[in-house]
Amino acid sequence: PIYIGDKVLKGQLLAAAAGTLSAPVHAPTSGHIVAFGDGLAPHPSGLPIATLTIEADGEDRWVDLNPAADPDALSPEEIAARVGQAGIVGLGGAAFPSAVKLNLSRRGGVDTLILNGGECEPYLTCDDRLMRERAVEIVAGAMLMRRAVGARRVLVGIEDNKPEAMAAMRAAAVGSGLDVAAVPAMYPMGSEKQLIQALTGKEVPAEGRAADIGVLVHNVGTAYAVQQAIHLGRPLVSRLVTVSGG
């Protein structure tokens, strides 16, 4: 149990998952627990949400981490379990628990894993920067996810207005079997169904899911988080964001 006044370290487990469609929460930095109660949801609704408040100590000190000794030796089930324990959720915006997606896709016989590097909303650049600067880690995460679901193919769709990201991802993908493809810079290319059609020519049936046609889509940021969790033992406690406009 966590109590007011407790000292916590960055990455320390604070709250366990409350069910299948849930994810554990870890401390985003080191400090002391100073309050429990309702806080303002990080959402336009402004609704109250159960909140645990940490007073940061400025040290940003990590808890002892538990990376996989040999990531390549992990079974599909072990990969998914570690992804779940790390609290990883979809970083494309939906925040669906990633381990659930991996397990359902494996059982459903998914053949193709797609990494979404579309990022078609105006001004957004966080996935672009991540692909430019962390391409090797993204590819490593994609290979782990491919093994977790048993996919035969891995595709990355990147809008053609991101040449630096494309070049970095293609360089990192050499020898991995991962194919990097340019897609038109057209709204809403970052949407799952449109991206699938652009890359594979297949259409998700009306009221159906991508898995119905043997496809699983994950954001490039999620692939990076998977690599961090398994190679370094780091739970998901942060993400890149774009700050732009007037």
Side-chain angles (χ1 to χ4, degrees):
I2 298 287
Y3 299 99
I4 290 178
D6 282 358
K7 180 170 177 58
V8 295
L9 297 174
K10 184 175 182 176
Q12 182 175 333
L13 178 66
L14 299 180
T20 303
L21 296 183
S22 181
V25 175
H26 301 79
T29 189
S30 57
H32 289 85
I33 304 295
V34 294
F36 293 108
D38 284 340
L40 194 65
H43 185 271
S45 67
L47 290 171
I49 187 172
T51 302
L52 185 155
T53 304
I54 298 172
E55 186 176 272
D57 58 16
E59 296 178 11
D60 207 33
R61 189 152 57 91
W62 279 96
V63 70
D64 289 337
L65 300 174
N66 181 34
D70 183 0
D72 294 332
L74 294 176
S75 69
E77 293 80 9
E78 288 170 330
I79 293 171
R82 281 180 172 263
V83 167
Q85 290 159 8
I88 296 174
V89 297
L91 293 177
F96 191 86
S98 299
V100 176
K101 247 176 128 172
L102 294 176
N103 284 325
L104 289 175
S105 297
R106 182 175 67 254
R107 294 166 193 152
V110 160
D111 173 72
T112 302
L113 169 64
I114 292 177
L115 289 194
N116 188 345
E119 197 167 47
C120 60
E121 292 282 352
Y123 298 105
L124 284 188
T125 52
C126 45
D127 288 349
D128 184 16
R129 295 305 313 185
L130 187 66
M131 288 187 286
R132 294 193 206 187
E133 299 173 16
R134 297 289 183 267
V136 171
E137 291 90 340
I138 293 170
V139 171
M143 295 302 100
L144 288 163
M145 289 196 290
R146 175 171 70 176
R147 199 157 78 250
V149 301
R152 181 178 58 85
R153 289 198 304 166
V154 185
L155 307 173
V156 184
I158 304 174
E159 283 196 327
D160 57 17
N161 62 354
K162 299 173 177 56
E164 297 92 342
M166 191 103 53
M169 288 294 292
R170 281 181 170 155
V174 170
S176 70
L178 180 149
D179 293 322
V180 180
V183 294
M186 182 187 304
Y187 186 87
M189 190 53 70
S191 176
E192 177 176 280
K193 293 178 181 179
Q194 281 71 26
L195 184 64
I196 290 171
Q197 187 170 3
L199 288 175
T200 69
K202 297 179 180 179
E203 286 192 53
V204 177
E207 299 184 11
R209 300 181 301 114
D212 296 336
I213 56 171
V215 177
L216 169 66
V217 180
H218 272 291
N219 179 262
V220 291
T222 309
Y224 176 73
V226 167
Q227 183 273 337
Q228 293 286 291
I230 291 177
H231 284 248
L232 302 180
R234 292 182 174 179
L236 181 65
V237 295
S238 64
R239 65 155 300 141
L240 290 182
V241 297
T242 301
V243 179
S244 188

